[in-house]
Amino acid sequence: MHSVESRFIAIVIGALLVFVAPLFFFFLVLSSDRVARERLKHTEVLMQANAQALGKPIWDFDLDSIAQIVDTLKTGANINYVQIRDTSGLINIRDPEVEPARGAIQSIVTADILHRTNEGIRKVGTAEIAIARDGPFSRFSTDELALFSIFLFAVGTLFTAAIIGNRITIIRPLMRLTAAIEATRRLGSRHHVDWTSNDEMGHLAHNFNEMQSRLEQEENELKLAHARTTEIYNKTPAMLFSTNRDNSITAVSDYWLVATGYSRDAVIGHSFTKFVDAADHLIYRDRHQTGPSSKGICEVTVRFHRADATVMDVLVLETGLAMVDAGAETTLSVMTDVTDLKEAESRNLRQAITDHLTGLLNRQGFESVLGELIHKAETEDQNLACLFLDLDRFKWINDNLGHAVGDEVLCQVANRLRDQLRFNDVVARLGGDEFAVLLLSPEAAQLAVDVGSRLCTALKEPIFVKGSRLNVSASIGIAVYPDHAATAADLLQKSDMAMYARKRGGKNGTQVYHDDIVDIARRRLEIEQRIEEGLRENRFDAYLQPIVSLSDGRIAGFEALMRLCHPQDGILSPNEIIGVAEENGAIGKIGDVILEKAVRDLAAISAIDGMANSYLAVNFSPLQFDATLPNRLAALLLGCGVTPSRIVIEITEAVLMLDNPVIRQTLDALTELGCRIALDDFGTGYSSMSYLNRFPVDIVKVDQSFIRSLGSDQQKISAKSRTLIEGIRMISHQMGCVVVAEGIETENERKALEEMGIDLGQGYLFSEPLPFAELMRALENISERTRGKQSAGR
């Protein structure tokens, strides 16, 4: 069914089958049912009439009359069986004698035969008629069959007329149009359609003829344009050439011949690869594998041999789409001399991969060499170790002594690294104070540990810059390919992770990568995400723990403790949060959130009886101290109506050990504002006593490790702890400081501390850190009990 005419016939036949045939069948069924119902009704009437007539003959036992009535019934339409029986069983007349099969019977009509006697109407017998089953057309009359024939003739005539009309109006002009197209294809000339009419087919033929005329005109114009293009191709001052599928040169421009020194006969028909340097054959052959650019152009740079045997670097730009030239597919390419550009590029590349300060490779150069050494390790069955090195105290040098001193330190570090390495080892400065070393060896793991140890030893030696003696140590992470990583990026990442593990483990040493480091890094990343979510969704809260006077049990103040409550994980470890936040710089934002919430909570607590003078102790990380802290705190206190004297800034010895001028100036400014300073975890550092003399400390907090030791089973440890606590209390009181004991959990500890004269205490014995709502309920209950006792006393 590939012609228009066959499709048209199929559509018409389909329409007859889908629409006309079901309607005709439905009409036949309805008409047949109507005829059947009329015949059945006529038979029933006939049966009733004859049943009445049979009453007297049966009563009189008149068999002749009964036979006549049976003959009368048998003459009815479609009646093929009649049976008359009386009630006594003496009369049983059947016509015919053999009852027809059930399949030949459509329906059976039965009637009771009644007779009026002196005793009334009595049933004297039964009459039964079988109606024969009709064929589909046997029920119709001659007129109805004639009507059906006329209908079928009309449908057939319409079908024939549609086919003839389709052939005359559509098929014939289409055949002429097809003939014109086929002639155009075979002969190459533009043939027209010989057909004119005022309908759509005539309009189609007219448009086709116009299109043929226009195409003929355009072909002539293209031939003229091709001639002009050929002339331009040869005269263009650029090295143009064309190649076919086999990469043979099919055409070259005159400028190409001038620039290369060849004659046209010497190159036409030869492969372009013949003139490319042998070392670049594969590069030129694989130029299509990288794919064309977005503009459909492939480009490749190769070395080209001129006719005088000199070599030049050329950039070949080749069209990605083939052109048809005299029946053969060709490509157009332009060749540009880039010899000078390549030389400049080589110089720029050397500068791009070198660190301008130390002369080592920079990150870009290091990553390039790393990829090459990974490949070399695979092919030569060797291992490659990567040492990631980060200076431990370089930031302090940069911040306090200036970048000029920092740059000199980096240069001296680079020289020391070179002195400890072999000539073929790779060392690079990745940026800032980060360096990396690559060691290729069959025993790279052990070699890396030995080299790392030597580097740490070399960097421990003092560095002298402008008369200053500086000490710089390094944390080194080691990862080995293929033991720890499968790719170059993975190797660098694993060594970086090992370095950070060394940083967290105490700095100044080496750390070989192991799988647990991944879990630590994953946990750190998870905590970073929790911190980011917590800041974004305001999940950080200030839990307050009461600080109680040991002498009378009065609540003197509260310590604000940071808590991060996650919807699924619950309250996360504060130590983990603080450690990661200090590393990624989020501690400042967290501290601001906790400080603001804690101060607002203190303002609300002040409304409770007895809490008006309670103070708030807030822990501060070294990274939170900057010049703007006093002003920000003053504005917050003013907005909440809290006096600065009620704020205690808690710091650890780690803050004071930095001896940072900014921190010292900030502490002095906070003291001038009226805030008090508390030294936390007192007694656990190296120079605790000296800090009391050098810094404006108002409160000393005894570390809870000493409190725990008071209840030790070993008498010596308990006695020593008591002596230390009493000594801290005595010195602190002599210097005007209030003493607070941390981590009190038992009544015995509280009594012992009270006997030693410790002023304040905090711990789970009194209360755990509570969220603000729970703390307010607890304080309200305490206030109500206090008011109740005062009323009872009156």
Side-chain angles (χ1 to χ4, degrees), residues 239-240 252-265 267:
M239 290 186 283
L240 302 178
V252 292
S253 65
D254 292 345
Y255 188 82
W256 192 94
L257 298 174
V258 172
T260 61
Y262 292 102
S263 64
R264 186 170 270 106
D265 293 337
V267 297

Side-chain angles (χ1 to χ4, degrees), residues 238-241 249 252-264 266-267 272 275 304-312 314 335-337:
M239 290 186 283
L240 302 178
F241 68 96
I249 298 175
V252 292
S253 65
D254 292 345
Y255 188 82
W256 192 94
L257 298 174
V258 172
T260 61
Y262 292 102
S263 64
R264 186 170 270 106
V267 297
F272 182 78
F275 308 99
F304 184 90
H305 290 264
R306 294 189 181 95
D308 59 2
T310 60
V311 179
M312 63 176 175
V314 295
M335 194 169 73
T336 305
D337 186 357

Side-chain angles (χ1 to χ4, degrees), residues 62-136:
D62 185 359
L63 296 179
D64 293 335
S65 299
I66 294 172
Q68 291 177 359
I69 294 173
V70 168
D71 292 339
T72 303
L73 288 172
K74 190 70 182 301
T75 59
N78 286 10
I79 295 175
N80 62 351
Y81 179 72
V82 179
Q83 183 179 12
I84 305 298
R85 292 175 297 178
D86 65 348
T87 55
S88 61
L90 299 175
I91 298 175
N92 187 4
I93 299 176
R94 293 183 295 180
D95 189 11
E97 287 295 331
V98 180
E99 184 178 354
R102 287 293 178 182
I105 298 174
Q106 179 174 347
S107 61
I108 297 174
V109 179
T110 305
D112 293 334
I113 302 173
L114 305 177
H115 179 65
R116 186 182 299 274
T117 64
N118 295 331
E119 298 175 357
I121 298 175
R122 293 180 58 183
K123 177 181 178 181
V124 295
T126 303
E128 182 178 291
I129 299 176
I131 301 175
R133 186 177 299 277
D134 295 332

Side-chain angles (χ1 to χ4, degrees), residues 173-195:
L174 282 179
M175 292 179 66
R176 293 189 181 183
L177 177 62
T178 302
I181 295 173
E182 181 65 19
T184 300
R185 184 185 65 82
R186 287 187 294 101
L187 302 177
S189 58
R190 296 291 171 180
H191 286 256
H192 293 249
V193 180
D194 184 15
W195 182 269

Side-chain angles (χ1 to χ4, degrees), residues 591-732:
D592 291 343
V593 171
I594 299 302
L595 178 62
E596 181 177 352
K597 289 188 175 183
V599 171
R600 295 189 184 281
D601 292 346
L602 180 65
I605 291 172
S606 301
I608 300 175
D609 290 343
M611 297 291 111
N613 295 321
S614 59
Y615 72 85
L616 174 69
V618 183
N619 293 280
F620 278 79
S621 166
L623 301 177
Q624 291 179 257
F625 287 95
D626 59 66
T628 65
L629 178 59
N631 293 332
R632 290 188 286 111
L633 180 58
L636 176 61
L637 295 176
L638 181 63
C640 296
V642 176
T643 58
S645 61
R646 298 178 61 192
I647 302 300
V648 174
I649 308 298
E650 284 199 9
I651 57 176
T652 62
E653 292 184 35
V655 177
L656 305 180
M657 285 175 62
L658 294 174
D659 199 16
N660 191 318
V662 176
I663 294 179
R664 180 58 187 264
Q665 293 170 7
T666 304
L667 287 175
D668 291 340
L670 291 171
T671 302
E672 293 176 4
L673 179 63
C675 299
R676 290 180 289 172
I677 307 298
L679 186 57
D680 198 8
D681 300 333
F682 187 82
T684 58
Y686 297 104
S687 307
S688 298
M689 297 301 177
S690 66
Y691 295 137
L692 294 180
N693 185 43
R694 294 166 53 198
F695 291 92
V697 177
D698 301 289
I699 298 174
V700 173
K701 302 192 74 172
V702 182
D703 187 69
Q704 60 182 339
S705 61
F706 298 125
I707 312 302
R708 297 281 185 276
S709 300
L710 288 175
S712 175
D713 295 335
Q714 301 180 26
Q715 293 297 326
K716 289 184 178 180
I717 296 177
S718 178
K720 287 181 179 180
S721 297
R722 179 181 291 272
T723 301
L724 286 171
I725 295 173
E726 289 178 344
I728 293 172
R729 188 268 305 165
M730 182 181 64
I731 295 172
S732 299

Side-chain angles (χ1 to χ4, degrees), residues 396-407:
W396 183 90
I397 295 173
N398 245 1
D399 293 343
N400 293 278
L401 301 180
H403 290 284
V405 175
D407 290 347

